[in-house]
C-alpha cells in the first residue's frame, strides 16, 4: 500500500472538477456525474485532491476504477486521509476516458477524465460538451466547483 502525500493547503482549490447536480430521490441516475481535469498522469498524487473535494453526500470512496493507459503506474491501494482506497485498473480503453468511484452503501459515480495535457480551450470544450449532454438528457444545469 502506498501513502498518499498530504495535499498542500491550496490543492483543493486547484482541483478542476465540474459536477452534475444529483437527481432527486426516485429519479434515474445519469451515466456521467461530472468531469475531472487532473494536472498530471500521476493518479497517486492527483486522487487525494479529487477525493477531498467530492460532496459529503457521496460518502467515503473505497474503490476507484481507471483506464490504466491514461495513468502512469500506480499501486493497488492508497492511503488517503486515513482511508484505504483500492485502485483497480481496466485495460478496456474508453473514449472518452472515465474514472469510476465506488462508495459502499452510497453508490457509484463516473467522471469524465479530461487529459492532463489538454489545453485550457480543449478542457473547457470537453467539460462544456459533457454539461450540454447532461442538460439535454435530463434538463439540469451543471455545478462548477
Amino acid at each position: 500500500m502506498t501513502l498518499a502525500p498530504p495535499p498542500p493547503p491550496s490543492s483543493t482549490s486547484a482541483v478542476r472538477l465540474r459536477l452534475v447536480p444529483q437527481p432527486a430521490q426516485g429519479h434515474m441516475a445519469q451515466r456521467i456525474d461530472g468531469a475531472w481535469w487532473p494536472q498530471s498522469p500521476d493518479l497517486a498524487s492527483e486522487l487525494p485532491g479529487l477525493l477531498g473535494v467530492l460532496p459529503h453526500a457521496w460518502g467515503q470512496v473505497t474503490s476507484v476504477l481507471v483506464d490504466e493507459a491514461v495513468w502512469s503506474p500506480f499501486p493497488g491501494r492508497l492511503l488517503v486521509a486515513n482511508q484505504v482506497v483500492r485502485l483497480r485498473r481496466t485495460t478496456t480503453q474508453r473514449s472518452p476516458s472515465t474514472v469510476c468511484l465506488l462508495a459502499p452503501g452510497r453508490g457509484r459515480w463516473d467522471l469524465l477524465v479530461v487529459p492532463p495535457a489538454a489545453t485550457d480551450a480543449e478542457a473547457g470544450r470537453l467539460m462544456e460538451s459533457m454539461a450540454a449532454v447532461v442538460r439535454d438528457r435530463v434538463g439540469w444545469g451543471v455545478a462548477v466547483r
Side-chain angles (χ1 to χ4, degrees):
M1 175 171 29
T2 301
L3 298 175
S10 64
S11 72
T12 56
S13 63
V15 174
R16 300 172 293 188
L17 177 67
R18 178 174 273 189
L19 297 176
V20 176
Q22 295 299 299
Q25 290 271 347
H27 288 91
M28 186 169 75
Q30 59 272 5
R31 186 161 119 57
I32 296 293
D33 299 289
W36 175 41
W37 183 19
Q39 296 182 25
S40 78
D42 183 359
L43 185 62
S45 68
E46 295 288 337
L47 194 59
L50 172 64
L51 297 181
V53 298
L54 293 177
H56 181 70
W58 286 20
Q60 287 191 319
V61 172
T62 60
S63 186
V64 176
L65 177 65
V66 298
D67 176 3
E68 73 177 342
V70 173
W71 304 98
S72 56
F74 55 88
R77 294 181 297 167
L78 189 63
L79 186 62
V80 178
N82 295 322
Q83 171 76 26
V84 176
V85 178
R86 184 173 178 215
L87 305 178
R88 298 183 353 215
R89 300 162 172 81
T90 179
T91 56
T92 305
Q93 292 184 359
R94 297 183 185 116
S95 184
S97 179
T98 60
V99 60
C100 175
L101 308 169
L102 301 168
R106 294 289 180 100
R108 166 189 171 150
W109 294 272
D110 294 283
L111 303 175
L112 168 79
V113 176
V114 176
T119 65
D120 288 346
E122 292 168 332
R125 191 172 52 252
L126 282 169
M127 291 177 125
E128 196 50 44
S129 67
M130 179 275 307
V133 167
V134 172
R135 269 195 307 270
D136 291 346
R137 190 173 59 219
V138 295
W140 295 326
V142 174
V144 177
R145 284 185 67 107

